[in-house]
Amino acid sequence: MGFVTAQPQELEGPPVSLAERAYTAIQDRLIMLDIPPMAPIDDTALSASLGLGRTPVREALKRLEVDRLVISYPRRGTFATGVDITDLAYISEIRVQLEPLAARRAAETAAAAVKSGLAELADEVADLDVRALDRTGLMRCDLRVHRAIYRAAGNPHLEDTLVRYDNLATRIFCLFLDRMPHFDRHVGEHAALLRAIADGDGDTAADLALTHVTGFEKAIRAII
C-alpha cells in the first residue's frame, strides 16, 4: 500500500487568506530546512516564488516569529532561527507532558469515524518502506501522523500548542536524520500508537506517546 504524504496546506487545514497561504508555505520551507537555519529571509524573493504580494508574506513572517521559526533584528532583517540542540531539552520537557495527553484524549473522546481513519493510517504506516522515502517524504509522514493525533484529541488549544512544538522538533529531526541509524524504528512506532488510539485504549496510547517522545530525544543525544 502506498503512503500518501500530506502536503503543506493539508497539515494546517485549507488556507483561508493570502496571509494564511503565505504562512503555511513559508512554515513548510522552514520546517523542512529548505530555508536553512540562520539563513536571511528576503521577503521580496519569497513573494515572487510564492506568487503572493509582500503584505501577506510580511504578515506570515510576523506569525512565524511568534512560532520561533524566524527572528527579526532591527536594521539587519529577518532570519530563519538556528537549530540549537540545547532547545531539545526544553521542547521535550513540554512534549512529554502534552503528547501523552493528546493521545489519551484521542483514544477516549474521538468519534468512531475519526478512530476508523486513524486505524487506516496505522495500516498505511505499517506497510510503509520507510528507508525508501527521501527526507521530505519521511518528514511529511511523521507530520501527518502527529497532526492526525492532535486533531483527534479534540482540543484546539492543545492542538495548536503541539503543532508548534512538533514543528520545532521536526527541524531537529531533519538536521540529524542522516546520522540516525534507526530512524525507521522511530517512524514505525506510529503504527502501534495509532492503533491504540483507534482501539480506545487511553493508557496504552499515553504510554506509547511518552516512549515515542523520550526515544526521539535519546536518539538525537546519542549522535551529538
Side-chain angles (χ1 to χ4, degrees):
M1 181 183 296
F3 189 89
V4 179
T5 55
Q7 294 304 307
Q9 64 270 25
E10 295 175 27
L11 297 175
E12 299 298 330
V16 296
S17 67
L18 293 178
E20 186 69 25
R21 285 176 54 193
Y23 173 78
T24 302
I26 300 168
Q27 179 192 64
D28 184 73
R29 295 185 186 187
L30 290 161
I31 294 170
M32 298 295 172
L33 305 187
D34 293 330
I35 300 176
M38 305 302 294
I41 295 177
D42 183 340
D43 58 3
T44 301
L46 266 180
S47 298
S49 68
L50 296 173
L52 298 170
R54 293 179 67 184
T55 296
V57 167
R58 288 174 175 173
E59 291 177 11
L61 291 174
K62 289 178 182 177
R63 287 180 62 187
L64 292 164
E65 187 164 16
V66 175
D67 292 343
R68 297 182 180 272
L69 290 172
V70 305
I71 186 168
S72 296
Y73 298 100
R75 295 180 297 278
R76 287 183 56 197
T78 300
F79 299 79
T81 54
V83 176
D84 189 341
I85 199 59
T86 59
D87 286 340
L88 178 61
Y90 299 135
I91 294 168
S92 295
E93 186 175 32
I94 295 167
R95 294 182 76 213
V96 296
Q97 299 297 324
L98 298 185
E99 293 272 356
L101 173 62
R104 182 184 294 279
R105 277 189 56 87
E108 295 177 351
T109 67
V114 173
K115 289 181 178 178
S116 177
L118 294 179
E120 291 177 5
L121 182 55
D123 290 341
E124 291 185 41
V125 172
D127 290 343
L128 183 66
D129 183 357
V130 174
R131 292 191 174 273
L133 292 177
D134 60 16
R135 186 186 72 176
T136 298
L138 185 65
M139 291 299 98
R140 293 209 190 290
C141 167
D142 189 80
L143 287 167
R144 182 186 177 195
V145 170
H146 282 277
R147 297 297 190 273
I149 294 171
Y150 304 158
R151 182 65 53 84
N155 182 329
H157 300 287
L158 178 62
E159 180 182 355
D160 288 347
T161 301
L162 277 169
V163 165
R164 177 178 298 181
Y165 287 102
D166 188 51
N167 287 343
L168 297 175
T170 299
R171 295 182 84 218
I172 296 173
F173 198 176
C174 282
L175 191 64
F176 291 99
L177 178 62
D178 292 342
R179 296 164 58 188
M180 291 178 68
H182 303 299
F183 66 85
D184 53 330
R185 294 181 191 171
H186 178 80
V187 176
E189 291 172 1
H190 289 146
L193 174 56
L194 288 165
R195 286 185 178 129
I197 295 171
D199 291 341
D201 188 344
D203 289 340
T204 298
D207 288 344
L208 290 173
L210 178 60
T211 299
H212 185 67
V213 174
T214 54
F216 172 72
E217 182 178 10
K218 289 177 183 177
I220 296 296
R221 292 198 179 282
I223 58 176
I224 60 175

